[in-house]
Amino acid sequence: MHYDVAIIGGGPAGSTAAAMLAKAGRSVVVIEREKFPRFHIGESLLPFSMDAFERLGILKKIQDAGFVVKHGAEICSGCGEKETRFYFKDGFRSRRATAFQVTRSEFDKILLDHARECGALVREETIVTSLDLSAGSTSLSIASADGSPETITAGYVIDCSGRNSVIGSHLGLKESYPSLQKFAVYAHFEDAQIPEGVDGTLTRMVRGEDHWFWIIPLSSTKLSIGVVMDTEKYKSLRSTPEQVLERFIRDQPLMQSRLLGSRRVTKVYASGDYSYRNRTLHGDRWLMAGDAAGFIDPVFSSGVFLAILGGEKAAEAIDAALRSPREARRLFARYERHLVKVMGLYLKFVLAWYRKEFVETVLAPREFFEVVPAVNAVLAGNMGKSFSLRWRLWLFQLIVRLQRIVPICPRLTLVPRS
Ligand SMILES: Cc1cc2nc3c(=O)[nH]c(=O)nc-3n(C[C@H](O)[C@H](O)[C@H](O)COP(=O)(O)OP(=O)(O)OC[C@H]3O[C@@H](n4cnc5c(N)ncnc54)[C@H](O)[C@@H]3O)c2cc1C
Protein backbone atom coordinates (compact mmCIF):
# COMPACT_ATOMS: atom_id res chain seq x y z
CA MET A 1 0.00 0.00 0.00
CA HIS A 2 2.95 2.34 -0.54
CA TYR A 3 3.34 4.00 -3.94
CA ASP A 4 5.80 6.44 -5.48
CA VAL A 5 2.88 8.68 -6.38
CA ALA A 6 -0.79 8.80 -5.38
CA ILE A 7 -3.14 10.81 -7.62
CA ILE A 8 -6.49 12.09 -6.38
CA GLY A 9 -8.97 12.11 -9.31
CA GLY A 10 -8.97 10.36 -12.68
CA GLY A 11 -10.12 13.21 -14.98
CA PRO A 12 -7.84 14.51 -17.79
CA ALA A 13 -5.24 15.93 -15.35
CA GLY A 14 -5.07 12.78 -13.21
CA SER A 15 -5.00 10.27 -16.04
CA THR A 16 -2.36 12.28 -17.96
CA ALA A 17 -0.09 12.45 -14.89
CA ALA A 18 -0.70 8.76 -14.12
CA ALA A 19 0.11 7.60 -17.67
CA MET A 20 3.30 9.70 -17.81
CA LEU A 21 4.58 8.48 -14.42
CA ALA A 22 3.69 4.84 -15.09
CA LYS A 23 5.49 5.03 -18.44
CA ALA A 24 8.53 6.36 -16.53
CA GLY A 25 8.44 3.19 -14.40
CA ARG A 26 6.96 4.75 -11.24
CA SER A 27 4.41 2.94 -9.06
CA VAL A 28 1.25 5.03 -9.31
CA VAL A 29 -2.24 4.75 -7.84
CA VAL A 30 -5.20 6.83 -9.05
CA ILE A 31 -8.08 7.21 -6.60
CA GLU A 32 -11.28 8.13 -8.47
CA ARG A 33 -14.60 8.74 -6.75
CA GLU A 34 -16.81 7.79 -9.72
CA LYS A 35 -17.22 4.76 -11.98
CA PHE A 36 -16.31 5.76 -15.57
CA PRO A 37 -17.91 6.54 -17.98
CA ARG A 38 -19.56 9.40 -16.09
CA PHE A 39 -21.03 12.69 -17.32
CA HIS A 40 -18.70 15.70 -17.28
CA ILE A 41 -18.87 19.12 -18.85
CA GLY A 42 -15.94 20.63 -20.80
CA GLU A 43 -16.31 19.27 -24.32
CA SER A 44 -14.38 21.60 -26.60
CA LEU A 45 -10.63 20.95 -26.82
CA LEU A 46 -7.73 23.08 -28.09
CA PRO A 47 -5.23 22.17 -30.85
CA PHE A 48 -2.19 22.52 -28.57
CA SER A 49 -3.38 19.47 -26.58
CA MET A 50 -2.84 17.33 -29.68
CA ASP A 51 0.94 17.39 -29.13
CA ALA A 52 0.42 16.14 -25.58
CA PHE A 53 -1.86 13.34 -26.83
CA GLU A 54 0.91 12.30 -29.21
CA ARG A 55 3.50 12.29 -26.41
CA LEU A 56 1.13 10.19 -24.29
CA GLY A 57 0.68 7.75 -27.18
CA ILE A 58 -3.08 8.25 -27.15
CA LEU A 59 -3.79 10.40 -30.22
CA LYS A 60 -4.76 7.43 -32.40
CA LYS A 61 -7.22 6.11 -29.78
CA ILE A 62 -8.88 9.55 -29.64
CA GLN A 63 -8.98 9.81 -33.44
CA ASP A 64 -10.51 6.32 -33.70
CA ALA A 65 -13.25 7.21 -31.21
CA GLY A 66 -14.96 9.28 -33.93
CA PHE A 67 -15.22 12.60 -32.10
CA VAL A 68 -16.07 15.71 -34.17
CA VAL A 69 -12.87 17.27 -35.56
CA LYS A 70 -12.96 20.93 -34.52
CA HIS A 71 -11.55 23.57 -36.88
CA GLY A 72 -12.05 26.73 -34.84
CA ALA A 73 -14.65 28.94 -33.20
CA GLU A 74 -17.25 31.54 -34.05
CA ILE A 75 -18.25 34.53 -31.96
CA CYS A 76 -21.64 36.17 -32.58
CA SER A 77 -23.06 39.33 -31.04
CA GLY A 78 -26.34 38.76 -29.23
CA CYS A 79 -27.88 41.60 -31.26
CA GLY A 80 -27.33 39.50 -34.38
CA GLU A 81 -25.39 42.26 -36.14
CA LYS A 82 -21.89 40.77 -36.19
CA GLU A 83 -20.19 37.43 -36.22
CA THR A 84 -16.61 36.38 -36.79
CA ARG A 85 -14.94 33.03 -37.30
CA PHE A 86 -11.49 31.93 -36.20
CA TYR A 87 -10.03 28.95 -38.01
CA PHE A 88 -7.06 27.42 -36.19
CA LYS A 89 -5.22 27.03 -39.51
CA ASP A 90 -5.05 30.85 -39.68
CA GLY A 91 -3.51 31.24 -36.21
CA PHE A 92 -0.14 32.98 -35.90
CA ARG A 93 2.49 30.42 -37.00
CA SER A 94 -0.18 27.74 -36.63
CA ARG A 95 1.17 24.19 -36.22
CA ARG A 96 -2.08 22.36 -35.57
CA ALA A 97 -5.21 23.19 -37.52
CA THR A 98 -7.65 21.02 -35.60
CA ALA A 99 -8.74 19.77 -32.18
CA PHE A 100 -11.76 17.69 -31.09
CA GLN A 101 -15.25 18.27 -29.69
CA VAL A 102 -15.62 15.36 -27.27
CA THR A 103 -18.32 13.65 -25.27
CA ARG A 104 -16.47 13.77 -21.99
CA SER A 105 -17.81 10.50 -20.58
CA GLU A 106 -16.16 8.66 -23.51
CA PHE A 107 -13.05 10.85 -23.73
CA ASP A 108 -12.24 10.65 -20.00
CA LYS A 109 -12.68 6.88 -20.07
CA ILE A 110 -10.21 6.56 -22.96
CA LEU A 111 -7.66 8.58 -20.97
CA LEU A 112 -8.20 6.68 -17.72
CA ASP A 113 -8.07 3.27 -19.45
CA HIS A 114 -4.84 4.39 -21.13
CA ALA A 115 -3.31 5.23 -17.75
CA ARG A 116 -4.26 1.74 -16.59
CA GLU A 117 -2.70 0.17 -19.71
CA CYS A 118 0.49 2.15 -19.07
CA GLY A 119 0.73 0.45 -15.64
CA ALA A 120 -1.07 2.74 -13.18
CA LEU A 121 -3.34 1.13 -10.59
CA VAL A 122 -6.75 2.80 -10.99
CA ARG A 123 -9.24 2.49 -8.15
CA GLU A 124 -12.65 3.72 -9.22
CA GLU A 125 -15.60 4.26 -6.87
CA THR A 126 -13.11 5.10 -4.16
CA ILE A 127 -13.02 8.48 -2.45
CA VAL A 128 -10.22 10.29 -0.64
CA THR A 129 -11.75 11.24 2.68
CA SER A 130 -8.76 12.86 4.42
CA LEU A 131 -5.03 13.49 4.07
CA ASP A 132 -1.92 13.76 6.16
CA LEU A 133 0.66 15.89 4.35
CA SER A 134 3.11 16.29 7.21
CA ALA A 135 6.71 16.55 6.02
CA GLY A 136 8.45 13.25 5.38
CA SER A 137 5.36 11.23 4.53
CA THR A 138 1.98 11.58 2.91
CA SER A 139 -0.92 9.35 3.65
CA LEU A 140 -4.43 9.29 2.26
CA SER A 141 -7.49 7.86 3.96
CA ILE A 142 -9.72 6.35 1.32
CA ALA A 143 -13.10 4.63 1.30
CA SER A 144 -14.31 2.36 -1.48
CA ALA A 145 -17.91 1.93 -2.67
CA ASP A 146 -18.62 -0.77 -0.08
CA GLY A 147 -17.57 1.76 2.56
CA SER A 148 -14.45 -0.04 3.80
CA PRO A 149 -11.83 2.53 4.93
CA GLU A 150 -8.12 2.10 4.13
CA THR A 151 -4.96 4.14 4.37
CA ILE A 152 -2.37 4.35 1.62
CA THR A 153 0.98 6.11 1.71
CA ALA A 154 2.96 7.66 -1.13
CA GLY A 155 6.20 9.50 -1.73
CA TYR A 156 4.28 12.29 -3.49
CA VAL A 157 0.65 13.22 -4.07
CA ILE A 158 -0.85 15.04 -7.05
CA ASP A 159 -4.22 16.60 -6.41
CA CYS A 160 -6.23 16.28 -9.65
CA SER A 161 -9.63 16.26 -7.96
CA GLY A 162 -11.06 18.96 -10.21
CA ARG A 163 -13.20 21.70 -8.72
CA ASN A 164 -13.43 19.66 -5.54
CA SER A 165 -9.81 20.75 -4.98
CA VAL A 166 -9.18 18.33 -2.11
CA ILE A 167 -5.82 19.77 -0.93
CA GLY A 168 -6.84 23.41 -1.56
CA SER A 169 -9.93 22.92 0.61
CA HIS A 170 -8.04 20.89 3.23
CA LEU A 171 -5.36 23.59 3.65
CA GLY A 172 -7.68 26.57 3.11
CA LEU A 173 -5.76 27.79 0.05
CA LYS A 174 -8.66 28.58 -2.29
CA GLU A 175 -9.44 32.17 -3.29
CA SER A 176 -12.17 33.19 -5.68
CA TYR A 177 -12.06 35.91 -8.36
CA PRO A 178 -14.82 38.28 -7.19
CA SER A 179 -15.57 39.57 -10.71
CA LEU A 180 -15.90 36.06 -12.15
CA GLN A 181 -18.62 34.63 -9.96
CA LYS A 182 -20.65 33.07 -12.73
CA PHE A 183 -23.30 30.41 -13.02
CA ALA A 184 -23.81 28.02 -15.95
CA VAL A 185 -26.79 25.86 -16.94
CA TYR A 186 -26.38 23.35 -19.75
CA ALA A 187 -27.75 20.26 -21.50
CA HIS A 188 -27.42 18.17 -24.67
CA PHE A 189 -29.87 18.51 -27.58
CA GLU A 190 -30.52 15.94 -30.36
CA ASP A 191 -31.87 16.32 -33.92
CA ALA A 192 -30.33 19.77 -34.31
CA GLN A 193 -29.71 21.17 -37.81
CA ILE A 194 -25.91 21.41 -37.91
CA PRO A 195 -24.25 22.82 -41.05
CA GLU A 196 -22.15 20.38 -43.01
CA GLY A 197 -18.43 20.87 -43.53
CA VAL A 198 -15.86 22.80 -41.54
CA ASP A 199 -18.31 25.42 -40.21
CA GLY A 200 -20.43 22.70 -38.65
CA THR A 201 -17.49 21.75 -36.40
CA LEU A 202 -16.91 25.18 -34.81
CA THR A 203 -17.59 26.04 -31.18
CA ARG A 204 -20.03 28.97 -31.30
CA MET A 205 -20.28 31.62 -28.64
CA VAL A 206 -23.20 34.04 -28.63
CA ARG A 207 -22.42 37.07 -26.46
CA GLY A 208 -25.47 38.75 -24.95
CA GLU A 209 -25.46 41.87 -22.80
CA ASP A 210 -25.13 40.08 -19.43
CA HIS A 211 -24.72 36.44 -20.43
CA TRP A 212 -23.27 34.23 -23.17
CA PHE A 213 -24.16 30.92 -24.77
CA TRP A 214 -21.97 28.10 -26.01
CA ILE A 215 -22.99 25.78 -28.84
CA ILE A 216 -20.71 22.77 -29.26
CA PRO A 217 -21.41 20.11 -31.91
CA LEU A 218 -20.86 16.64 -30.44
CA SER A 219 -21.98 14.72 -33.55
CA SER A 220 -23.70 15.55 -36.84
CA THR A 221 -27.02 15.93 -34.95
CA LYS A 222 -26.14 16.51 -31.29
CA LEU A 223 -25.31 19.85 -29.63
CA SER A 224 -24.06 20.78 -26.18
CA ILE A 225 -25.78 24.03 -25.21
CA GLY A 226 -25.03 26.16 -22.18
CA VAL A 227 -25.63 29.67 -20.93
CA VAL A 228 -23.39 31.51 -18.46
CA MET A 229 -24.47 34.50 -16.35
CA ASP A 230 -23.55 36.23 -13.08
CA THR A 231 -24.42 34.11 -10.06
CA GLU A 232 -26.40 37.08 -8.71
CA LYS A 233 -28.46 37.19 -11.89
CA TYR A 234 -29.20 33.46 -11.62
CA LYS A 235 -30.30 33.84 -8.01
CA SER A 236 -32.51 36.80 -8.86
CA LEU A 237 -34.43 34.70 -11.40
CA ARG A 238 -35.66 32.35 -8.64
CA SER A 239 -36.16 29.56 -11.19
CA THR A 240 -34.91 26.03 -11.73
CA PRO A 241 -31.96 25.41 -14.11
CA GLU A 242 -34.47 23.99 -16.68
CA GLN A 243 -36.59 27.14 -16.55
CA VAL A 244 -33.53 29.38 -16.80
CA LEU A 245 -32.10 27.55 -19.84
CA GLU A 246 -35.49 27.56 -21.60
CA ARG A 247 -36.04 31.23 -20.86
CA PHE A 248 -32.63 32.36 -22.15
CA ILE A 249 -33.02 30.29 -25.35
CA ARG A 250 -36.54 31.66 -25.89
CA ASP A 251 -35.26 35.25 -25.58
CA GLN A 252 -32.40 34.81 -28.08
CA PRO A 253 -33.44 34.49 -31.77
CA LEU A 254 -29.98 33.19 -32.78
CA MET A 255 -30.30 30.29 -30.33
CA GLN A 256 -33.87 29.57 -31.40
CA SER A 257 -32.78 29.27 -35.02
CA ARG A 258 -29.83 27.00 -34.13
CA LEU A 259 -32.07 24.73 -32.05
CA LEU A 260 -35.02 24.61 -34.44
CA GLY A 261 -36.58 21.13 -34.44
CA SER A 262 -34.22 19.77 -31.74
CA ARG A 263 -35.12 18.23 -28.38
CA ARG A 264 -33.30 18.11 -25.06
CA VAL A 265 -31.95 14.62 -24.31
CA THR A 266 -30.25 15.12 -20.93
CA LYS A 267 -31.29 16.76 -17.72
CA VAL A 268 -30.25 20.40 -17.31
CA TYR A 269 -27.02 20.52 -15.30
CA ALA A 270 -25.81 23.54 -13.35
CA SER A 271 -22.39 24.74 -12.10
CA GLY A 272 -21.87 27.80 -9.95
CA ASP A 273 -19.18 30.02 -8.46
CA TYR A 274 -16.52 28.46 -10.52
CA SER A 275 -13.51 30.74 -10.91
CA TYR A 276 -10.83 30.46 -8.23
CA ARG A 277 -7.13 29.97 -7.68
CA ASN A 278 -5.01 28.54 -4.87
CA ARG A 279 -2.48 30.65 -3.00
CA THR A 280 0.16 28.03 -3.77
CA LEU A 281 0.17 24.99 -6.05
CA HIS A 282 2.75 22.91 -4.20
CA GLY A 283 4.07 21.76 -0.84
CA ASP A 284 7.07 19.61 0.09
CA ARG A 285 5.43 16.42 -1.14
CA TRP A 286 2.44 17.47 -3.20
CA LEU A 287 1.41 19.32 -6.33
CA MET A 288 -1.96 20.39 -7.70
CA ALA A 289 -2.91 20.08 -11.38
CA GLY A 290 -5.95 20.85 -13.55
CA ASP A 291 -9.04 22.41 -11.98
CA ALA A 292 -7.74 21.42 -8.55
CA ALA A 293 -4.98 24.02 -9.08
CA GLY A 294 -7.32 26.74 -10.32
CA PHE A 295 -10.29 27.24 -12.55
CA ILE A 296 -10.86 30.03 -15.00
CA ASP A 297 -14.17 30.68 -16.71
CA PRO A 298 -14.61 28.20 -19.60
CA VAL A 299 -15.28 30.77 -22.32
CA PHE A 300 -12.12 30.02 -24.29
CA SER A 301 -12.25 26.23 -23.75
CA SER A 302 -8.95 26.30 -21.87
CA GLY A 303 -9.91 23.86 -19.04
CA VAL A 304 -8.94 20.50 -20.51
CA PHE A 305 -5.89 22.02 -22.19
CA LEU A 306 -4.66 23.37 -18.82
CA ALA A 307 -5.54 20.08 -17.09
CA ILE A 308 -3.48 18.04 -19.54
CA LEU A 309 -0.63 20.56 -19.45
CA GLY A 310 -0.67 20.53 -15.64
CA GLY A 311 -0.86 16.73 -15.47
CA GLU A 312 2.10 16.37 -17.81
CA LYS A 313 4.26 19.01 -16.12
CA ALA A 314 3.43 17.70 -12.62
CA ALA A 315 4.46 14.19 -13.71
CA GLU A 316 7.75 15.53 -15.09
CA ALA A 317 8.47 17.46 -11.87
CA ILE A 318 7.69 14.49 -9.60
CA ASP A 319 9.63 12.01 -11.75
CA ALA A 320 12.66 14.33 -11.52
CA ALA A 321 12.11 14.77 -7.75
CA LEU A 322 12.04 11.01 -7.27
CA ARG A 323 15.40 10.86 -9.02
CA SER A 324 16.92 13.74 -7.03
CA PRO A 325 14.84 14.37 -3.87
CA ARG A 326 17.01 17.34 -2.90
CA GLU A 327 15.88 19.14 -6.04
CA ALA A 328 12.17 18.72 -5.26
CA ARG A 329 11.63 22.20 -3.84
CA ARG A 330 13.20 23.91 -6.87
CA LEU A 331 11.38 21.65 -9.35
CA PHE A 332 8.01 22.21 -7.69
CA ALA A 333 8.52 25.98 -7.55
CA ARG A 334 9.36 25.97 -11.28
CA TYR A 335 6.23 23.91 -11.96
CA GLU A 336 4.11 26.45 -10.10
CA ARG A 337 5.66 29.44 -11.91
CA HIS A 338 5.01 27.86 -15.30
CA LEU A 339 1.39 27.01 -14.57
CA VAL A 340 0.60 30.36 -12.95
CA LYS A 341 1.98 32.15 -16.03
CA VAL A 342 -0.16 30.19 -18.51
CA MET A 343 -3.27 30.48 -16.34
CA GLY A 344 -2.58 34.22 -16.05
CA LEU A 345 -2.58 34.56 -19.84
CA TYR A 346 -6.03 32.95 -20.11
CA LEU A 347 -7.30 34.93 -17.15
CA LYS A 348 -6.48 38.17 -19.00
CA PHE A 349 -8.55 37.05 -21.98
CA VAL A 350 -11.42 35.85 -19.81
CA LEU A 351 -11.61 39.15 -17.90
CA ALA A 352 -11.54 40.98 -21.24
CA TRP A 353 -14.39 38.82 -22.63
CA TYR A 354 -16.75 40.35 -20.07
CA ARG A 355 -15.96 43.87 -21.33
CA LYS A 356 -18.01 45.09 -24.28
CA GLU A 357 -15.08 46.83 -26.00
CA PHE A 358 -13.24 43.50 -26.24
CA VAL A 359 -16.23 41.87 -27.95
CA GLU A 360 -16.63 44.86 -30.30
CA THR A 361 -12.96 44.58 -31.24
CA VAL A 362 -12.88 40.82 -31.89
CA LEU A 363 -16.07 41.13 -33.92
CA ALA A 364 -14.41 43.63 -36.24
CA PRO A 365 -11.13 41.91 -37.07
CA ARG A 366 -8.74 43.91 -39.22
CA GLU A 367 -5.78 42.26 -40.80
CA PHE A 368 -2.82 44.37 -39.78
CA PHE A 369 0.44 43.25 -38.19
CA GLU A 370 -1.14 39.78 -37.83
CA VAL A 371 -2.81 40.85 -34.58
CA VAL A 372 -5.92 38.74 -35.15
CA PRO A 373 -3.92 35.58 -35.96
CA ALA A 374 -1.97 36.18 -32.71
CA VAL A 375 -5.20 36.22 -30.67
CA ASN A 376 -6.35 33.15 -32.61
CA ALA A 377 -3.06 31.36 -31.69
CA VAL A 378 -3.52 32.02 -27.97
CA LEU A 379 -7.08 30.75 -28.15
CA ALA A 380 -5.69 27.57 -29.74
CA GLY A 381 -3.39 26.99 -26.76
CA ASN A 382 -0.20 28.82 -27.83
CA MET A 383 1.25 29.94 -24.50
CA GLY A 384 2.64 33.21 -25.83
CA LYS A 385 6.31 32.45 -25.20
CA SER A 386 7.73 34.12 -28.33
CA PHE A 387 8.34 37.86 -28.45
CA SER A 388 6.74 38.08 -31.91
CA LEU A 389 3.49 36.77 -30.44
CA ARG A 390 3.72 38.81 -27.24
CA TRP A 391 4.05 42.24 -28.88
CA ARG A 392 1.06 41.47 -31.12
CA LEU A 393 -0.98 40.66 -28.02
CA TRP A 394 0.10 43.94 -26.41
CA LEU A 395 -0.99 45.78 -29.53
CA PHE A 396 -4.34 43.99 -29.44
CA GLN A 397 -4.83 44.99 -25.80
CA LEU A 398 -3.99 48.58 -26.69
CA ILE A 399 -6.63 48.60 -29.43
CA VAL A 400 -9.20 47.21 -26.98
CA ARG A 401 -8.32 49.95 -24.46
CA LEU A 402 -8.66 52.62 -27.13
CA GLN A 403 -12.02 51.17 -28.16
CA ARG A 404 -13.27 51.93 -24.66
CA ILE A 405 -12.66 55.65 -25.27
CA VAL A 406 -13.09 56.12 -29.05
CA PRO A 407 -15.14 53.79 -31.26
CA ILE A 408 -12.46 52.39 -33.58
CA CYS A 409 -14.82 49.48 -34.26
CA PRO A 410 -18.64 49.75 -34.47
CA ARG A 411 -20.42 49.93 -31.12
CA LEU A 412 -22.82 47.02 -30.45
CA THR A 413 -25.80 46.72 -28.10
CA LEU A 414 -25.54 42.89 -27.77
CA VAL A 415 -29.32 42.97 -27.15
CA PRO A 416 -31.56 41.19 -29.70
CA ARG A 417 -33.73 43.58 -31.72
CA SER A 418 -37.34 43.20 -30.57
C1 LIG B 1 -19.77 25.09 -17.39
C2 LIG B 1 -18.42 24.61 -17.79
C3 LIG B 1 -18.08 24.50 -19.14
C4 LIG B 1 -16.81 24.07 -19.51
N1 LIG B 1 -16.46 23.99 -20.85
C5 LIG B 1 -15.22 23.61 -21.20
C6 LIG B 1 -14.84 23.46 -22.58
O1 LIG B 1 -15.64 23.66 -23.49
N2 LIG B 1 -13.57 23.08 -22.85
C7 LIG B 1 -12.65 22.83 -21.87
O2 LIG B 1 -11.51 22.50 -22.18
N3 LIG B 1 -13.00 22.92 -20.57
C8 LIG B 1 -14.23 23.30 -20.22
N4 LIG B 1 -14.58 23.35 -18.90
C9 LIG B 1 -13.55 23.03 -17.91
C10 LIG B 1 -13.32 21.53 -17.80
O3 LIG B 1 -14.52 20.89 -17.44
C11 LIG B 1 -12.26 21.25 -16.73
O4 LIG B 1 -11.25 22.22 -16.82
C12 LIG B 1 -11.63 19.87 -16.84
O5 LIG B 1 -12.59 18.87 -16.70
C13 LIG B 1 -10.55 19.73 -15.75
O6 LIG B 1 -10.05 18.43 -15.70
P1 LIG B 1 -9.49 17.86 -14.31
O7 LIG B 1 -8.91 16.53 -14.61
O8 LIG B 1 -8.67 18.88 -13.65
O9 LIG B 1 -10.78 17.71 -13.39
P2 LIG B 1 -12.09 16.81 -13.60
O10 LIG B 1 -12.30 16.51 -15.03
O11 LIG B 1 -13.19 17.50 -12.88
O12 LIG B 1 -11.74 15.45 -12.86
C14 LIG B 1 -11.60 15.40 -11.46
C15 LIG B 1 -11.94 14.00 -10.98
O13 LIG B 1 -11.65 13.93 -9.58
C16 LIG B 1 -12.62 13.11 -8.96
N5 LIG B 1 -12.66 13.46 -7.54
C17 LIG B 1 -13.07 14.63 -6.98
N6 LIG B 1 -12.94 14.58 -5.64
C18 LIG B 1 -12.46 13.35 -5.33
C19 LIG B 1 -12.12 12.69 -4.11
N7 LIG B 1 -12.26 13.30 -2.91
N8 LIG B 1 -11.65 11.42 -4.18
C20 LIG B 1 -11.49 10.78 -5.37
N9 LIG B 1 -11.80 11.36 -6.55
C21 LIG B 1 -12.27 12.63 -6.54
C22 LIG B 1 -13.91 13.44 -9.70
O14 LIG B 1 -14.85 12.39 -9.62
C23 LIG B 1 -13.41 13.66 -11.13
O15 LIG B 1 -13.57 12.52 -11.95
C24 LIG B 1 -15.86 23.74 -18.51
C25 LIG B 1 -16.21 23.82 -17.16
C26 LIG B 1 -17.48 24.25 -16.79
C27 LIG B 1 -17.84 24.33 -15.33
Side-chain angles (χ1 to χ4, degrees):
M1 298 291 264
H2 181 85
Y3 302 88
D4 290 333
V5 188
I7 297 175
I8 312 171
S15 40
T16 300
M20 296 282 294
L21 284 159
K23 271 165 166 261
R26 304 298 178 187
S27 62
V28 186
V29 62
V30 179
I31 308 296
E32 168 54 54
R33 186 176 55 179
E34 310 273 345
K35 173 82 187 148
F36 281 26
R38 50 94 174 95
F39 178 87
H40 206 295
I41 195 61
E43 296 142 330
S44 195
L45 308 190
L46 298 185
F48 269 61
S49 290
M50 302 301 119
D51 292 344
F53 294 149
E54 234 167 33
R55 285 191 293 276
L56 277 169
I58 202 175
L59 186 57
K60 172 117 186 26
K61 286 184 192 171
I62 297 173
Q63 279 163 343
D64 290 349
F67 296 124
V68 170
V69 174
K70 170 186 173 187
H71 288 261
E74 179 187 83
I75 299 176
C76 310
S77 65
C79 45
E81 281 173 26
K82 289 252 173 204
E83 61 180 41
T84 189
R85 290 179 191 150
F86 295 92
Y87 298 103
F88 295 133
K89 70 174 174 48
D90 300 329
F92 184 71
R93 295 183 192 162
S94 162
R95 285 189 292 128
R96 293 268 185 189
T98 57
F100 293 103
Q101 312 280 24
V102 299
T103 300
R104 280 290 298 274
S105 52
E106 294 166 30
F107 173 76
D108 288 15
K109 183 159 169 40
I110 294 174
L111 258 62
L112 192 61
D113 286 347
H114 183 70
R116 210 179 252 126
E117 282 163 31
C118 291
L121 173 66
V122 177
R123 296 191 53 177
E124 291 175 81
E125 294 183 282
T126 305
I127 185 166
V128 174
T129 50
S130 67
L131 312 124
D132 180 359
L133 301 170
S134 41
S137 75
T138 59
S139 66
L140 308 183
S141 302
I142 59 173
S144 48
D146 63 11
S148 49
E150 290 169 54
T151 301
I152 57 170
T153 59
Y156 295 97
V157 175
I158 313 180
D159 181 2
C160 299
S161 60
R163 295 189 298 126
N164 221 12
S165 201
V166 170
I167 294 185
S169 306
H170 175 72
L171 297 178
L173 297 171
K174 275 172 104 172
E175 288 175 342
S176 56
Y177 299 104
S179 64
L180 288 177
Q181 291 314 298
K182 307 286 174 189
F183 198 92
V185 290
Y186 42 92
H188 289 173
F189 288 72
E190 256 299 354
D191 298 333
Q193 303 295 319
I194 302 175
E196 282 184 10
V198 165
D199 286 349
T201 75
L202 308 181
T203 294
R204 298 192 146 82
M205 277 126 31
V206 180
R207 174 69 156 83
E209 197 187 17
D210 59 357
H211 61 275
W212 63 272
F213 291 92
W214 76 73
I215 309 174
I216 298 174
L218 295 176
S219 75
S220 57
T221 54
K222 193 178 194 176
L223 290 175
S224 166
I225 300 289
V227 59
V228 179
M229 67 206 80
D230 283 339
T231 304
E232 283 309 310
K233 163 100 187 172
Y234 177 79
K235 283 185 188 157
S236 73
L237 295 174
R238 295 178 189 278
S239 307
T240 62
E242 288 81 5
Q243 289 165 333
V244 171
L245 186 61
E246 276 164 23
R247 175 180 161 170
F248 274 86
I249 292 173
R250 197 178 55 229
D251 291 348
Q252 175 47 260
L254 274 172
M255 294 304 293
Q256 280 179 34
S257 68
R258 300 268 191 217
L259 288 174
L260 205 65
S262 66
R263 63 198 160 86
R264 179 159 63 78
V265 289
T266 62
K267 70 173 201 174
V268 177
Y269 295 89
S271 304
D273 289 348
Y274 53 58
S275 290
Y276 57 81
R277 65 182 160 212
N278 283 283
R279 281 199 300 282
T280 178
L281 306 187
H282 76 277
D284 287 344
R285 295 197 157 263
W286 57 265
L287 293 175
M288 296 168 175
D291 282 6
F295 181 68
I296 317 169
D297 195 287
V299 58
F300 296 120
S301 305
S302 54
V304 173
F305 164 71
L306 290 170
I308 287 167
L309 176 79
E312 198 179 4
K313 295 286 170 199
E316 275 170 21
I318 287 188
D319 185 43
L322 282 162
R323 255 181 279 124
S324 340
R326 283 211 199 135
E327 292 287 299
R329 191 175 283 265
R330 186 186 59 79
L331 291 160
F332 291 2
R334 193 173 67 182
Y335 165 81
E336 176 166 333
R337 274 198 306 278
H338 180 67
L339 229 64
V340 165
K341 201 169 163 193
V342 182
M343 282 159 71
L345 184 65
Y346 277 97
L347 180 64
K348 254 190 212 160
F349 273 88
V350 165
L351 290 169
W353 168 252
Y354 288 103
R355 289 199 294 266
K356 203 144 83 67
E357 60 271 16
F358 174 86
V359 183
E360 289 164 347
T361 310
V362 289
L363 284 171
R366 290 167 201 203
E367 293 301 327
F368 66 103
F369 299 129
E370 295 185 278
V371 170
V372 174
V375 175
N376 180 339
V378 173
L379 301 185
N382 185 328
M383 289 171 266
K385 279 188 196 148
S386 74
F387 178 69
S388 49
L389 185 63
R390 282 211 312 269
W391 75 255
R392 286 177 169 85
L393 295 178
W394 289 329
L395 183 57
F396 175 73
Q397 282 159 9
L398 181 69
I399 299 168
V400 173
R401 274 201 204 127
L402 282 174
Q403 170 74 7
R404 197 182 308 172
I405 308 160
V406 253
I408 307 169
C409 313
R411 295 275 186 226
L412 297 168
T413 63
L414 304 179
V415 180
R417 276 192 233 112
S418 57

